[in-house]
Amino acid sequence: MKKILITGATGFLGGAVAAELIAAGDVGKLLLLARSNHEKSALDRVKDNLSKFGVNSQQLAKLTPQQIIEGDLSKPEKFLSDARLDQADGVINCAAIASFGNNPLIWKVNVEGTFQLASRMSRVAGLKRFVHIGTAMSCTPDPDTNVVEATNPTQRKKHIVEYTWSKSTIEQMITEHLPGFPLVIARPSIVVGHTEHGCVPSASIFWVFRMALRLGKFMCNLEDRIDVIPVDYCARAIIKLLQVPELEYPVYHISSGRQSSVTFAEIDRAMAQASGTRPLAHDYQKVGYKELTREKSNFKTLFGDCNEKIVLKSMSLYGEFSKLNVTFDNEKILKLGMPASPRFTDYIDICYKSVKDKTLSELMAIDFK
């Protein structure tokens, strides 16, 4: 039986992809790349993560140690000789350091290790498709636009964070140095929450909205739009890109597009309804970063115990993203038969309730690891 290799199976998106394939009855086809740690085996870490996506104990019991390739893209030499890689006819490469902080492993994992994995898989005779997960922000979009997929090289100075620059770089490297490689690039927009499990699998980025609305001011207008998709929709679109017999394009956005994107005003109203509070409406203030820094003395009152320096850094980074007012064109993925994405405001209450008792510091940890 040919296998589907998924990297990043202990992460947010990789876990969602594996969970969707298991739900479809494909558990026996999976090969999962995962790290162990000093407390748990790689298999146990995978099972713990999949349980957050609702995979039940009977399904988890079907996963065997033979389906787990223990490895880490920061040290690819330790697993690239594993003969099980030659069984894969499809790869979904979700593994990455997705931090908006200055994690020293970003380049080593997202660029160097990923390129070594792609090079290794390029020598697998039966490989039909390598779906690489990038990010819609790798193209450094112009403000106030509906962005269409582009493959032009970008410059470091155009990127707000190292993460998006690393994603842009590895796309170019694989394309240029591995001619004939069956590469398809999936570029998700902003992935937040799960339509059934909220932020239980991960609270990545959701806390930004909660923080800004509690502060009552941020760097965007309330009428600006933001392109958000749930992780389960994103996972199903990625699987579609793996399984469709023929693809017309090398790059696909997985996004809400103009149709399903939402304004910050809509998010404000939905968050207020979920929390039982009053929408900000006319009380909201659009401000610059300097004005946000003046709120530092209020952070602990507003957010509880937190690292004020990291909170300010997050406001700077996410504030720059928020004021772009961009959406990412999704016509190509819709043409493959994917439905439109759920709107963020359709499931924001599930996200809110799933982490309402968590502190800001707890929620921020995953994005600044």
Side-chain angles (χ1 to χ4, degrees):
M1 178 190 294
K2 289 296 185 180
K3 302 290 186 180
I4 300 169
L5 173 64
I6 301 174
T7 71
T10 59
F12 186 31
L13 189 48
V17 170
E20 291 288 335
L21 287 168
I22 289 171
D26 291 328
V27 62
K29 296 180 181 179
L30 301 183
L31 277 176
L32 305 176
L33 178 68
R35 291 180 290 109
S36 61
N37 59 28
H38 66 282
E39 296 176 346
K40 293 186 176 181
S41 69
L43 177 58
D44 285 340
R45 292 186 68 238
V46 167
K47 288 183 176 180
D48 285 349
N49 190 45
L50 291 177
S51 68
K52 298 174 185 176
F53 294 92
V55 181
N56 63 45
S57 57
Q58 290 80 14
Q59 293 169 317
L60 293 175
K62 295 178 182 179
L63 274 176
T64 67
Q66 290 71 37
Q67 292 177 268
I68 307 297
I69 297 177
E70 188 170 337
D72 182 343
L73 282 181
S74 70
K75 301 172 184 176
E77 66 280 357
K78 295 185 179 295
F79 72 87
L80 288 182
S81 60
D82 195 308
R84 288 174 291 176
L85 294 173
D86 295 310
Q87 300 173 16
D89 66 350
V91 178
I92 298 176
N93 181 42
C94 298
I97 301 294
S99 174
F100 275 18
N102 295 318
N103 191 308
L105 292 178
I106 287 178
W107 206 258
K108 192 170 186 60
V109 169
N110 296 3
V111 180
E112 296 170 11
T114 298
F115 184 75
Q116 289 186 59
L117 172 65
S119 297
R120 167 67 173 86
M121 297 312 295
S122 72
R123 300 192 292 274
V124 175
L127 185 69
K128 295 178 180 177
R129 192 163 294 163
F130 187 103
V131 182
H132 172 71
I133 311 305
T135 170
M137 286 299 301
S138 68
C139 66
T140 61
D142 293 327
D144 306 316
T145 56
N146 183 49
V147 183
V148 177
E149 295 93 331
T151 57
N152 300 328
T154 60
Q155 298 177 316
R156 174 62 185 93
K157 64 183 180 180
K158 296 284 189 177
H159 289 265
I160 298 171
V161 293
E162 190 75 2
Y163 166 67
T164 61
W165 168 232
S166 73
K167 284 297 193 177
S168 175
T169 300
I170 188 56
E171 289 180 4
Q172 293 296 321
M173 283 180 64
I174 296 174
T175 301
E176 292 175 10
H177 296 288
L178 297 177
F181 187 56
L183 174 69
V184 174
I185 298 168
R187 290 183 183 161
S189 56
I190 303 171
V191 183
V192 181
H194 189 288
T195 58
E196 294 183 27
H197 306 294
C199 292
V200 171
S202 173
S204 178
I205 303 180
F206 180 77
W207 57 270
V208 179
F209 301 103
R210 199 172 85 170
M211 175 184 70
L213 295 175
R214 187 168 294 178
L215 190 63
K217 56 185 71 172
F218 210 54
M219 295 165 65
C220 56
N221 290 307
L222 281 183
E223 294 308 317
D224 287 345
R225 304 191 77 82
I226 189 163
D227 196 313
V228 175
I229 55 172
V231 71
D232 42 324
Y233 175 84
C234 187
R236 288 192 290 273
I238 289 168
I239 293 167
K240 173 78 75 174
L241 290 175
L242 180 73
Q243 295 178 340
V244 168
E246 292 187 13
L247 293 173
E248 187 176 353
Y249 304 101
V251 183
Y252 289 81
H253 283 155
I254 303 176
S255 59
S256 60
R258 295 295 296 180
Q259 178 182 358
S260 297
S261 61
V262 294
T263 65
F264 287 98
E266 290 174 304
I267 293 172
D268 173 35
R269 290 193 292 270
M271 193 78 83
Q273 184 173 359
S275 61
T277 57
R278 186 172 63 88
L280 290 173
H282 298 296
D283 295 330
Y284 174 81
Q285 299 176 54
K286 178 186 177 181
V287 297
Y289 177 66
K290 286 185 178 180
E291 287 85 352
L292 290 176
T293 63
R294 299 187 188 116
E295 298 291 334
K296 183 178 178 180
S297 60
N298 297 323
F299 286 174
K300 289 194 181 285
T301 300
L302 289 167
F303 310 130
D305 187 37
C306 60
N307 184 317
E308 295 167 340
K309 182 177 179 181
I310 293 179
V311 171
L312 279 174
K313 181 178 181 180
S314 74
M315 288 180 175
S316 173
L317 295 174
Y318 288 100
E320 291 298 323
F321 282 114
S322 73
K323 67 183 184 181
L324 285 173
N325 187 34
V326 298
T327 56
F328 297 95
D329 187 84
N330 60 351
E331 287 188 11
K332 292 181 176 65
I333 199 73
L334 295 182
K335 280 176 63 178
L336 294 180
M338 281 298 295
S341 169
R343 303 180 88 236
F344 183 33
T345 48
D346 292 340
Y347 65 97
I348 205 170
D349 59 329
I350 301 172
C351 292
Y352 176 84
K353 290 170 184 174
S354 68
V355 292
K356 65 179 181 179
D357 297 324
K358 299 284 187 181
T359 66
L360 181 66
S361 292
E362 288 176 297
L363 299 179
M364 290 177 68
I366 190 168
D367 290 318
F368 284 87
K369 59 183 181 292

